[in-house]
Coordinates of all heavy atoms in Angstrom, one line a residue:
L1 N -5.8 1.0 0.8 CA -5.4 2.2 0.1 C -6.0 3.5 0.7 O -5.3 4.5 0.8 CB -5.8 2.1 -1.4 CG -5.2 1.0 -2.2 CD1 -5.4 1.1 -3.7 CD2 -3.7 0.8 -1.9
S2 N -7.2 3.4 1.2 CA -7.9 4.5 1.8 C -7.1 4.8 3.1 O -6.9 6.0 3.4 CB -9.3 4.2 2.1 OG -10.1 4.1 0.9
R3 N -6.8 3.8 3.9 CA -6.1 4.0 5.2 C -4.7 4.5 4.9 O -4.2 5.3 5.8 CB -6.1 2.7 6.0 CG -7.4 2.2 6.4 CD -8.0 3.0 7.5 NE -7.5 2.7 8.8 CZ -7.0 3.6 9.6 NH1 -6.9 4.8 9.3 NH2 -6.5 3.2 10.8
L4 N -4.1 4.2 3.8 CA -2.8 4.7 3.5 C -2.8 6.0 2.8 O -1.8 6.7 2.6 CB -2.0 3.7 2.6 CG -1.7 2.3 3.2 CD1 -1.0 1.4 2.1 CD2 -0.8 2.4 4.4
G5 N -4.0 6.5 2.4 CA -4.1 7.8 1.7 C -3.7 7.8 0.3 O -3.3 8.8 -0.2
V6 N -3.7 6.6 -0.4 CA -3.3 6.6 -1.8 C -4.4 6.0 -2.7 O -4.1 5.4 -3.7 CB -2.0 5.7 -1.9 CG1 -0.8 6.4 -1.2 CG2 -2.2 4.3 -1.3
A7 N -5.6 6.1 -2.3 CA -6.7 5.5 -3.0 C -6.8 6.2 -4.4 O -7.4 5.5 -5.4 CB -8.1 5.7 -2.3
D8 N -6.3 7.4 -4.6 CA -6.4 8.1 -5.9 C -5.1 7.8 -6.7 O -5.1 8.4 -7.9 CB -6.6 9.6 -5.7 CG -8.0 9.9 -5.0 OD1 -8.9 9.1 -5.3 OD2 -8.0 10.9 -4.3
D9 N -4.2 7.1 -6.2 CA -3.0 6.8 -7.0 C -3.3 5.8 -8.1 O -3.7 4.7 -7.9 CB -1.9 6.3 -6.1 CG -0.5 6.2 -6.8 OD1 -0.4 5.4 -7.8 OD2 0.4 6.8 -6.4
A10 N -3.1 6.3 -9.4 CA -3.5 5.4 -10.5 C -2.8 4.1 -10.6 O -3.3 3.1 -11.0 CB -3.4 6.2 -11.8
D11 N -1.5 4.2 -10.2 CA -0.7 2.9 -10.3 C -1.1 1.9 -9.3 O -1.3 0.7 -9.6 CB 0.8 3.3 -10.1 CG 1.4 4.0 -11.3 OD1 1.0 3.7 -12.4 OD2 2.4 4.8 -11.1
I12 N -1.3 2.4 -8.0 CA -1.6 1.4 -7.0 C -3.1 1.0 -7.0 O -3.4 -0.2 -6.8 CB -1.3 2.1 -5.6 CG1 0.1 2.6 -5.5 CG2 -1.6 1.1 -4.5 CD1 0.5 3.2 -4.2
S13 N -4.0 1.9 -7.3 CA -5.4 1.5 -7.3 C -5.8 0.6 -8.5 O -6.9 -0.1 -8.4 CB -6.3 2.8 -7.3 OG -6.0 3.5 -8.5
A14 N -5.0 0.5 -9.5 CA -5.3 -0.4 -10.6 C -4.9 -1.8 -10.3 O -3.9 -2.3 -10.8 CB -4.6 0.1 -11.9
Q15 N -5.6 -2.4 -9.4 CA -5.2 -3.7 -8.8 C -5.0 -4.8 -9.8 O -4.1 -5.6 -9.6 CB -6.3 -4.1 -7.8 CG -5.9 -5.4 -7.0 CD -6.9 -5.7 -5.9 OE1 -7.9 -5.1 -5.8 NE2 -6.7 -6.8 -5.2
Y16 N -5.7 -4.8 -10.9 CA -5.6 -5.9 -11.8 C -4.9 -5.6 -13.1 O -4.8 -6.4 -14.1 CB -7.0 -6.5 -12.1 CG -7.6 -7.1 -10.9 CD1 -8.7 -6.4 -10.3 CD2 -7.2 -8.3 -10.3 CE1 -9.3 -6.9 -9.2 CE2 -7.7 -8.8 -9.2 CZ -8.8 -8.1 -8.6 OH -9.4 -8.6 -7.5
D17 N -4.3 -4.4 -13.2 CA -3.5 -4.0 -14.3 C -2.1 -4.4 -14.1 O -1.3 -3.7 -13.5 CB -3.6 -2.4 -14.5 CG -2.9 -1.9 -15.8 OD1 -2.2 -2.7 -16.4 OD2 -3.1 -0.8 -16.1
K18 N -1.7 -5.5 -14.7 CA -0.3 -6.1 -14.5 C 0.8 -5.1 -15.0 O 1.9 -5.2 -14.4 CB -0.2 -7.4 -15.2 CG -1.1 -8.5 -14.6 CD -1.0 -9.8 -15.4 CE 0.4 -10.4 -15.4 NZ 0.5 -11.7 -16.0
S19 N 0.5 -4.3 -16.0 CA 1.5 -3.4 -16.4 C 1.9 -2.4 -15.4 O 3.0 -1.8 -15.4 CB 1.0 -2.6 -17.7 OG 0.0 -1.7 -17.4
R20 N 1.0 -2.1 -14.4 CA 1.3 -1.2 -13.3 C 1.8 -1.9 -12.1 O 2.2 -1.2 -11.1 CB 0.0 -0.4 -13.0 CG -0.5 0.5 -14.1 CD -1.8 1.2 -13.6 NE -2.3 2.1 -14.7 CZ -2.1 3.4 -14.8 NH1 -1.3 3.9 -13.9 NH2 -2.6 4.1 -15.7
W21 N 1.9 -3.2 -12.0 CA 2.3 -3.9 -10.8 C 3.7 -3.5 -10.3 O 3.9 -3.2 -9.1 CB 2.3 -5.4 -11.0 CG 0.9 -5.9 -10.9 CD1 -0.3 -5.2 -10.7 CD2 0.5 -7.3 -11.0 NE1 -1.4 -6.1 -10.7 CE2 -1.0 -7.4 -10.8 CE3 1.1 -8.5 -11.2 CZ2 -1.7 -8.5 -10.9 CZ3 0.4 -9.7 -11.3 CH2 -1.0 -9.7 -11.1
P22 N 4.7 -3.4 -11.2 CA 6.1 -3.0 -10.7 C 6.0 -1.6 -10.0 O 6.6 -1.4 -9.0 CB 6.9 -3.0 -12.0 CG 6.2 -4.0 -12.9 CD 4.8 -3.8 -12.7
A23 N 5.4 -0.7 -10.7 CA 5.3 0.7 -10.1 C 4.5 0.7 -8.8 O 4.9 1.3 -7.8 CB 4.7 1.7 -11.0
A24 N 3.4 -0.1 -8.7 CA 2.6 -0.2 -7.5 C 3.3 -0.8 -6.4 O 3.3 -0.3 -5.3 CB 1.3 -0.9 -7.8
R25 N 4.1 -1.9 -6.7 CA 4.8 -2.5 -5.6 C 5.9 -1.6 -5.1 O 6.1 -1.5 -3.9 CB 5.4 -3.8 -6.1 CG 6.1 -4.6 -5.0 CD 6.5 -6.0 -5.4 NE 5.4 -6.9 -5.7 CZ 4.8 -7.6 -4.7 NH1 5.1 -7.4 -3.4 NH2 3.8 -8.4 -5.0
A26 N 6.6 -0.9 -6.0 CA 7.6 0.0 -5.5 C 7.1 1.1 -4.6 O 7.7 1.5 -3.6 CB 8.3 0.6 -6.8
K27 N 5.9 1.6 -5.0 CA 5.3 2.7 -4.2 C 4.9 2.2 -2.8 O 5.1 2.8 -1.8 CB 4.1 3.3 -4.9 CG 4.5 4.2 -6.1 CD 3.3 4.8 -6.8 CE 3.8 5.7 -7.9 NZ 2.6 6.3 -8.6
L28 N 4.3 1.0 -2.8 CA 3.9 0.4 -1.5 C 5.1 0.0 -0.7 O 5.1 0.2 0.6 CB 3.1 -0.9 -1.7 CG 1.6 -0.7 -2.2 CD1 1.0 -2.0 -2.6 CD2 0.8 0.1 -1.2
E29 N 6.2 -0.4 -1.3 CA 7.4 -0.7 -0.5 C 7.9 0.6 0.2 O 8.3 0.5 1.3 CB 8.5 -1.3 -1.4 CG 8.2 -2.7 -1.9 CD 9.2 -3.2 -2.9 OE1 9.9 -2.4 -3.5 OE2 9.3 -4.4 -3.1
A30 N 7.9 1.7 -0.6 CA 8.3 3.0 0.0 C 7.4 3.4 1.1 O 7.9 4.0 2.2 CB 8.4 4.0 -1.1
I31 N 6.1 3.2 1.0 CA 5.2 3.6 2.1 C 5.4 2.8 3.3 O 5.5 3.3 4.5 CB 3.7 3.4 1.6 CG1 3.4 4.4 0.5 CG2 2.8 3.5 2.8 CD1 2.1 4.2 -0.2
F32 N 5.6 1.4 3.2 CA 5.8 0.6 4.4 C 7.1 0.9 5.1 O 7.2 0.6 6.3 CB 5.6 -0.9 4.1 CG 4.2 -1.3 4.0 CD1 3.6 -1.6 2.7 CD2 3.4 -1.4 5.1 CE1 2.3 -2.0 2.6 CE2 2.1 -1.8 5.0 CZ 1.5 -2.1 3.8
L33 N 8.1 1.4 4.4 CA 9.3 1.8 5.0 C 9.2 3.0 5.9 O 10.2 3.3 6.6 CB 10.4 2.0 3.9 CG 11.0 0.8 3.3 CD1 11.9 1.1 2.1 CD2 11.8 0.0 4.3
R34 N 8.1 3.7 6.0 CA 7.9 4.9 6.8 C 7.7 4.6 8.3 O 7.9 5.5 9.1 CB 6.8 5.7 6.2 CG 7.0 6.2 4.8 CD 5.8 6.9 4.3 NE 5.9 7.3 2.9 CZ 4.9 7.7 2.1 NH1 3.6 7.8 2.7 NH2 5.0 8.0 0.9
K35 N 7.2 3.4 8.6 CA 6.9 3.1 10.0 C 7.4 1.7 10.3 O 7.7 0.9 9.4 CB 5.4 3.1 10.2 CG 4.7 4.4 10.0 CD 3.2 4.3 10.3 CE 2.5 5.6 9.9 NZ 2.9 6.7 10.8
S36 N 7.5 1.4 11.6 CA 8.0 0.1 12.0 C 6.8 -0.9 11.8 O 5.7 -0.6 11.6 CB 8.4 0.1 13.5 OG 7.2 0.3 14.3
R37 N 7.2 -2.2 11.9 CA 6.2 -3.3 11.8 C 5.1 -3.1 12.8 O 3.9 -3.2 12.4 CB 6.9 -4.6 12.0 CG 6.0 -5.8 11.9 CD 6.6 -7.1 12.4 NE 6.8 -6.9 13.9 CZ 7.5 -7.8 14.6 NH1 8.0 -8.9 14.1 NH2 7.6 -7.7 15.9
D38 N 5.4 -2.9 14.0 CA 4.4 -2.8 15.1 C 3.6 -1.6 14.9 O 2.4 -1.6 15.3 CB 5.1 -2.9 16.5 CG 5.7 -4.3 16.7 OD1 5.4 -5.2 16.0 OD2 6.5 -4.4 17.7
E39 N 4.2 -0.5 14.4 CA 3.4 0.7 14.2 C 2.3 0.4 13.1 O 1.2 0.9 13.2 CB 4.3 1.9 13.8 CG 5.1 2.4 15.0 CD 6.1 3.5 14.5 OE1 6.6 3.4 13.4 OE2 6.3 4.4 15.3
W40 N 2.7 -0.2 12.0 CA 1.8 -0.6 11.0 C 0.7 -1.5 11.5 O -0.5 -1.3 11.2 CB 2.5 -1.2 9.8 CG 3.2 -0.2 8.9 CD1 4.5 -0.2 8.6 CD2 2.6 0.9 8.2 NE1 4.8 0.8 7.7 CE2 3.7 1.5 7.5 CE3 1.3 1.4 8.1 CZ2 3.4 2.6 6.7 CZ3 1.1 2.5 7.3 CH2 2.1 3.1 6.6
C41 N 1.0 -2.5 12.3 CA 0.0 -3.4 12.8 C -1.0 -2.7 13.8 O -2.2 -2.9 13.8 CB 0.7 -4.5 13.5 SG 1.5 -5.6 12.4
A42 N -0.4 -1.7 14.6 CA -1.3 -0.9 15.4 C -2.3 0.0 14.6 O -3.4 0.2 15.0 CB -0.5 -0.1 16.4
L43 N -1.8 0.5 13.5 CA -2.6 1.3 12.6 C -3.6 0.6 11.8 O -4.7 1.0 11.6 CB -1.6 2.2 11.7 CG -2.3 3.1 10.8 CD1 -3.0 4.3 11.5 CD2 -1.3 3.7 9.8
L44 N -3.2 -0.6 11.3 CA -4.0 -1.3 10.3 C -4.5 -2.6 10.8 O -5.4 -3.2 10.1 CB -3.2 -1.5 9.0 CG -2.7 -0.3 8.3 CD1 -1.7 -0.7 7.2 CD2 -3.8 0.6 7.8
G45 N -4.0 -3.1 11.9 CA -4.3 -4.5 12.3 C -5.8 -4.8 12.6 O -6.2 -6.0 12.4
E46 N -6.6 -3.8 13.0 CA -8.0 -4.1 13.2 C -8.9 -3.7 12.0 O -10.1 -3.9 12.1 CB -8.4 -3.3 14.5 CG -7.8 -3.8 15.7 CD -8.3 -3.1 17.0 OE1 -9.2 -2.3 16.9 OE2 -7.7 -3.4 18.1
D47 N -8.3 -3.3 10.9 CA -9.0 -3.0 9.7 C -9.2 -4.2 8.9 O -8.4 -5.2 9.0 CB -8.3 -1.9 8.9 CG -8.4 -0.5 9.6 OD1 -9.3 -0.2 10.4 OD2 -7.4 0.2 9.5
D48 N -10.1 -4.2 7.9 CA -10.3 -5.3 7.0 C -9.3 -5.2 5.9 O -9.7 -4.9 4.7 CB -11.7 -5.4 6.5 CG -12.7 -5.9 7.6 OD1 -12.2 -6.5 8.5 OD2 -13.9 -5.7 7.4

């Protein structure tokens, strides 16, 4: 979340709040659609 710049997003950062899971997944889906697969791997592949 820090690398994606969304660490302060209440929906996504509430990892164990199941009521927020649908909203969190939708937001993450929208984020990953911004770059290609290989671009994401180059950006995040060496991070934990």
Side-chain angles (χ1 to χ4, degrees):
L1 301 190
S2 295
R3 296 288 280 126
L4 295 179
V6 293
D8 295 330
D9 187 299
D11 287 327
I12 305 178
S13 62
Q15 184 176 2
Y16 297 107
D17 186 346
K18 292 178 62 177
S19 67
R20 295 178 180 266
W21 281 2
R25 185 173 291 277
K27 289 182 178 181
L28 286 174
E29 287 174 346
I31 290 171
F32 279 108
L33 282 171
R34 296 173 187 169
K35 298 180 185 295
S36 70
R37 178 196 67 186
D38 292 346
E39 287 174 327
W40 281 119
C41 290
L43 179 65
L44 301 171
E46 295 185 4
D47 294 326
D48 286 341

